[in-house]
Amino acid sequence: MRKARVRSSESGVWFKSGVLVDPNGEASSGTRTMTYVRRISALATALLLAALAGCAGGDDPAATQSPTPSSPAPTTATSTPPTDSEKASAAASAVLREYNDVGNQLRQDPSQPLSRLQSVATSTELAAQRNLLRNERKRGLHQVGDTKIAVLKVESVNLDNSDPSTGKVPTVQVDVCFDVSNVDVVNANGESIISPDRPDTSWIQFLVSNYRWDKDPDRAWRVASSQDLKRKPCDAS
């Protein structure tokens, strides 16, 4: 019976009775046959892996996702340092509040030394306050309640330090409205000497100066003078 021959159209190789032969009809050895089969198997495996890799890359969102741009580094806000005029205004305002506190304490307690005035006053203001307090103490008067600052306004700043010997020193003009609605002045018998017509508030203009500007521009401010102002009373605090 004649054996059937089958030809592989892709490889150009004939199979005869299950034996691999070349186109000339010669049979190949078993080793050659196995090598050929292994090459075909390896090629098929490589094609399969490549196809799977392509599918995996197409389905994975992370494979095509663009990198997230990094956020810019945060910037640190910088504040503008205060000017000399701004520092002078702040220093003058602070010493005026301290001046008021020291005045309350000296008037309420006659045993407090008047030397405390030197920490807040100078020049004509220091002399005037010393004389006023000495006279009040001689008369046996003392204050009850606190004088409060209702309004404080810096009106001008002059940092001219050309001639301290004649008073040309850095000076800040400050207008202050004092609230005395809870203040009384009594004698040794506890009797009030305050007029019932006294207004609850009044304005005083102060000049706060620094006679040691060259050595201590921040802490040597003192109240140098004061004068009453004829101005509409402010609202009591």
Side-chain angles (χ1 to χ4, degrees):
M1 184 175 182
R2 190 177 180 180
K3 301 293 185 177
R5 292 188 179 183
V6 179
R7 182 178 181 180
S8 172
S9 60
E10 296 179 355
S11 63
V13 180
W14 293 86
F15 289 89
K16 181 178 181 182
S17 300
V19 179
L20 182 66
V21 295
D22 63 17
N24 296 323
E26 296 180 356
S28 302
S29 65
T31 302
R32 184 176 178 184
T33 301
M34 293 302 297
T35 301
Y36 185 85
V37 171
R38 287 174 182 170
R39 288 179 179 174
I40 293 177
S41 177
L43 178 59
T45 302
L47 292 174
L48 177 60
L49 291 175
L52 291 175
C55 292
D59 294 339
D60 186 2
T64 57
Q65 183 176 1
S66 60
T68 303
S70 58
S71 300
T75 56
T76 303
T78 56
S79 58
T80 304
T83 63
D84 287 343
S85 293
E86 291 171 338
K87 290 191 288 186
S89 297
S93 299
V95 78
L96 260 174
R97 295 185 185 281
E98 187 179 356
Y99 168 90
N100 182 62
D101 291 340
V102 171
N104 280 328
Q105 295 166 17
L106 292 176
R107 285 179 170 82
Q108 293 167 353
D109 184 1
S111 67
Q112 291 285 321
L114 297 182
S115 59
R116 293 188 59 193
L117 284 169
Q118 296 177 6
S119 65
V120 292
T122 190
S123 188
T124 58
E125 187 68 14
L126 176 59
Q129 289 299 316
R130 278 175 176 168
N131 290 334
L132 176 62
L133 286 167
R134 283 173 180 161
N135 289 333
E136 288 181 349
R137 290 179 176 185
K138 285 180 180 179
R139 296 169 56 190
L141 304 177
H142 71 277
Q143 177 179 306
V144 177
D146 290 337
T147 298
K148 299 179 181 180
I149 293 179
V151 179
L152 186 152
K153 292 183 177 180
V154 174
E155 297 293 344
S156 64
V157 178
N158 186 344
L159 300 182
D160 181 8
N161 194 43
S162 59
D163 193 357
S165 62
T166 61
K168 289 185 178 181
V169 295
T171 299
V172 180
Q173 178 186 322
V174 187
D175 293 351
V176 179
C177 182
F178 290 101
D179 175 8
V180 294
S181 56
N182 294 321
V183 174
D184 197 2
V185 177
V186 299
N187 58 25
N189 297 323
E191 299 170 340
S192 176
I193 65 166
I194 297 298
S195 169
D197 297 329
R198 181 197 67 180
D200 288 338
T201 63
S202 61
W203 286 89
I204 297 179
Q205 183 180 95
F206 293 93
L207 295 182
V208 185
S209 302
N210 189 334
Y211 284 85
R212 301 179 60 197
W213 174 261
D214 289 337
K215 296 181 179 180
D216 192 356
D218 297 325
R219 298 175 298 176
W221 294 90
R222 300 291 186 271
V223 179
S225 65
S226 63
Q227 63 177 354
D228 294 338
L229 294 176
K230 294 181 179 181
R231 187 179 295 182
K232 181 180 179 181
C234 66
D235 292 333
S237 60

